[in-house]
Amino acid sequence: MKYFPNQDERREVNIEYSNFSLSLEDFGSVDAIHDRFILEPLRWWAVHGSSAPKLQALAFKLLGQPSSSSCCERNWSTYKFIHSATRNKIMQQRAEDLVFVHTNLRLLSRRSSAYKEGPNKMWDVGCDQFDSLDDLNIGRLVFEDPSLDEPELELCLMRR
């Protein structure tokens, strides 16, 4: 319902999904079934998903997301901060509850106007999700040529 709030679209997607899961129509072809074990999922949907355009678009969105462990590592870092060597008498459940509260307070702070408009508004451009920077009209990072301010030293280093 989140991706397809319109009931008619949702019905179309459900029909497309049933065709996919039961290997009906184009999904039942020998190539489509054989390629499930050979191609990467994103490539499989590009090749064989044309008969289910709504499901194909959803597959592209989901499979095109980069995976990252940064959220888990941020959670572990918070846990380490709360349950450190100096605070090792905290019970495990209490430490987990404090991590939960800390994480949710951080997420709630993103809704404040100070977060969106303040001096640190760009400190976590990616947040915990992947957003295209094109939508934000930020532009691209530009790579500069590294240069030392001393040309003689730079020549010595580049020769090695």
Side-chain angles (χ1 to χ4, degrees):
M1 293 178 80
K2 180 179 177 181
Y3 292 112
F4 301 101
N6 183 334
Q7 186 177 7
D8 294 332
E9 282 185 336
R10 208 168 41 251
R11 186 171 297 114
E12 288 177 37
V13 170
N14 287 339
I15 291 170
E16 290 177 2
Y17 179 72
S18 67
N19 288 340
F20 166 73
S21 59
L22 296 173
S23 297
L24 300 175
E25 297 181 9
D26 291 345
F27 296 117
S29 72
V30 175
D31 285 340
I33 293 171
H34 185 263
D35 286 349
R36 284 185 184 184
F37 304 103
I38 297 172
L39 296 176
E40 297 172 9
L42 190 62
R43 292 180 188 270
W44 187 91
W45 277 102
V47 173
H48 300 290
S50 62
S51 65
K54 294 188 183 303
L55 199 59
Q56 183 185 42
L58 183 62
F60 283 162
K61 285 180 186 177
L62 294 175
L63 296 171
Q65 294 179 7
S67 59
S68 172
S69 64
S70 63
C71 295
C72 296
E73 292 188 20
R74 186 178 299 119
N75 192 34
W76 295 330
S77 175
T78 304
Y79 187 86
K80 182 180 176 186
F81 172 73
I82 289 172
H83 195 272
S84 64
T86 57
R87 295 187 211 116
N88 64 356
K89 293 182 181 179
I90 295 177
M91 299 298 290
Q92 180 181 354
Q93 185 59 47
R94 179 139 175 108
E96 288 175 9
D97 291 344
L98 288 171
V99 169
F100 178 80
V101 169
H102 180 272
T103 302
N104 285 320
L105 284 174
R106 186 176 56 81
L107 292 173
L108 283 173
S109 73
R110 291 181 178 176
R111 294 185 175 185
S112 71
S113 60
Y115 180 87
K116 294 176 183 174
E117 304 298 327
N120 300 325
K121 68 180 180 179
M122 295 301 291
W123 76 272
D124 68 341
V125 173
C127 303
D128 287 334
Q129 58 191 3
F130 176 74
D131 291 327
S132 171
L133 295 179
D134 295 334
D135 297 340
L136 300 175
N137 204 10
I138 292 174
R140 299 276 178 214
L141 294 175
V142 177
F143 292 99
E144 296 291 332
D145 291 328
S147 172
L148 300 174
D149 289 332
E150 299 180 29
E152 294 170 4
L153 180 59
E154 189 174 347
L155 284 174
C156 291
L157 291 174
M158 296 300 176
R159 289 182 186 164
R160 290 184 181 176

